[in-house]
Structure formats: structure tokens, C-alpha cells
């Protein structure tokens, strides 16, 4: 039975001018999905909401502060493998990679959506990006 008080929240930046998403490549030291490209994110702490958790993770992992009103929910569902809920968000941004201070992972990059599925993405990242593309077509 999943625990509702424990969840993962994360996501990505999206630049509509370049039609690109900002993702990070996990390092080879992580137990889950080493070296794969993924969203930024992590588990909640205390009584923080999914949105607050996403904001915290973006600040911790990239050194950027995203106001709540700029964050858009994409999807949420039960991650059956980990028995935790997964909340995915995105925020439109044109921040330069040079202005990012990556604190986790091997690399990060703006990736054009037309090329993103050629990258070695995590299963959930691939699934959620397909949801993003489908939602944009509506």
C-alpha cells in the first residue's frame, strides 16, 4: 500500500522559443537509473506540498528560484515500483546553462524536443515527456 505522506516531486524547465527542455544526466554513483537523463526532483520533506518540493529541488539542484505562479502541473500518478506518488511540474524559462549551478548529477543541458527521445532517458522521464508533448498538441 503506497504511503501518501511520502512522495516524489520534480520536473523540468521548458523554453518555448527554442522548443527545448532542460534535463540533467544522473551520475554513475546513483543506485537508481545511473547515467540516464532525467528530471530534477526528489522526495518530500516534512509537510511540504508537491509544488513546494519541486521549488526546493530546483533551488537545491540548480540554484534557481521559481515563483509558484510560474510552475505548471503536468501529471501525477502512483510509481508502482517505489510505491510512492510522483508529481511532475514544469516551468517556462530561458535561463542560460552558464547561469545554472548544477549540484547533483554528471551534466545538464537544454535538449530540443525533436531530439529528446534519442537520449538515454529514464523510463518515467520518457513517459512524462510524452504526456507533455500530448498536452501541448491539444
Amino acid at each position: 500500500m503506497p504511503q501518501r505522506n511520502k512522495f516524489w516531486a520534480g520536473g523540468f524547465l521548458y523554453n518555448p522559443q527554442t522548443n527545448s527542455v532542460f534535463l540533467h544526466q544522473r551520475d554513475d554513483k546513483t543506485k537508481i537509473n545511473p547515467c540516464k537523463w532525467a528530471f530534477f526532483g526528489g522526495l518530500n520533506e516534512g509537510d511540504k506540498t508537491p509544488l513546494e518540493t519541486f521549488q526546493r529541488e530546483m533551488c537545491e539542484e540548480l540554484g534557481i528560484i521559481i515563483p509558484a505562479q510560474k510552475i505548471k502541473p503536468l501529471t501525477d500518478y502512483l510509481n508502482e515500483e517505489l510505491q510512492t506518488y510522483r508529481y511532475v511540474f514544469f516551468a517556462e524559462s530561458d535561463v542560460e546553462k552558464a547561469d545554472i549551478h548544477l549540484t547533483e548529477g554528471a551534466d545538464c543541458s537544454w535538449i530540443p524536443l525533436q531530439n529528446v527521445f534519442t537520449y538515454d532517458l529514464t523510463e518515467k522521464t520518457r513517459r512524462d515527456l510524452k504526456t507533455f508533448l500530448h498536452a501541448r498538441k491539444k
Side-chain angles (χ1 to χ4, degrees):
M1 184 79 169
Q3 294 180 322
R4 288 199 175 266
N5 61 345
K6 181 181 177 187
F7 60 82
W8 181 93
F12 58 97
L13 301 176
Y14 171 64
N15 185 328
Q17 285 79 34
T18 62
N19 201 30
S20 299
V21 292
F22 198 75
L23 304 178
H24 85 286
Q25 184 179 31
R26 298 172 63 82
D27 62 33
D28 61 359
K29 295 169 186 66
T30 184
K31 292 179 182 178
I32 299 174
N33 297 311
C35 302
K36 292 193 179 269
W37 286 85
F39 296 149
F40 303 93
L43 294 174
N44 65 311
E45 295 175 357
D47 61 353
K48 298 295 184 194
T49 67
L51 187 129
E52 291 168 331
T53 300
F54 174 67
Q55 286 177 299
R56 186 198 78 233
E57 290 292 332
M58 296 302 277
C59 185
E60 287 177 1
E61 295 181 24
L62 297 176
I64 61 173
I65 296 170
I66 304 173
Q69 65 270 22
K70 292 195 172 229
I71 298 171
K72 299 174 183 171
L74 177 61
T75 189
D76 63 89
Y77 54 91
L78 175 64
N79 179 340
E80 293 184 21
E81 297 152 49
L82 300 177
Q83 287 297 295
T84 56
Y85 283 89
R86 178 178 172 93
Y87 296 89
V88 181
F89 300 90
F90 71 96
E92 290 186 5
S93 176
D94 61 358
V95 66
E96 296 289 331
K97 181 179 176 178
D99 295 329
I100 297 291
H101 305 288
L102 184 67
T103 61
E104 285 184 24
D107 196 8
C108 59
S109 189
W110 281 105
I111 303 170
L113 279 172
Q114 67 188 30
N115 300 337
V116 75
F117 294 108
T118 65
Y119 281 68
D120 189 12
L121 302 170
T122 70
E123 177 190 335
K124 299 290 188 286
T125 300
R126 182 174 300 279
R127 172 185 173 169
D128 298 338
L129 284 172
K130 286 180 179 179
T131 299
F132 178 68
L133 290 174
H134 182 73
R136 287 183 52 240
K137 289 180 183 178
K138 289 184 178 181

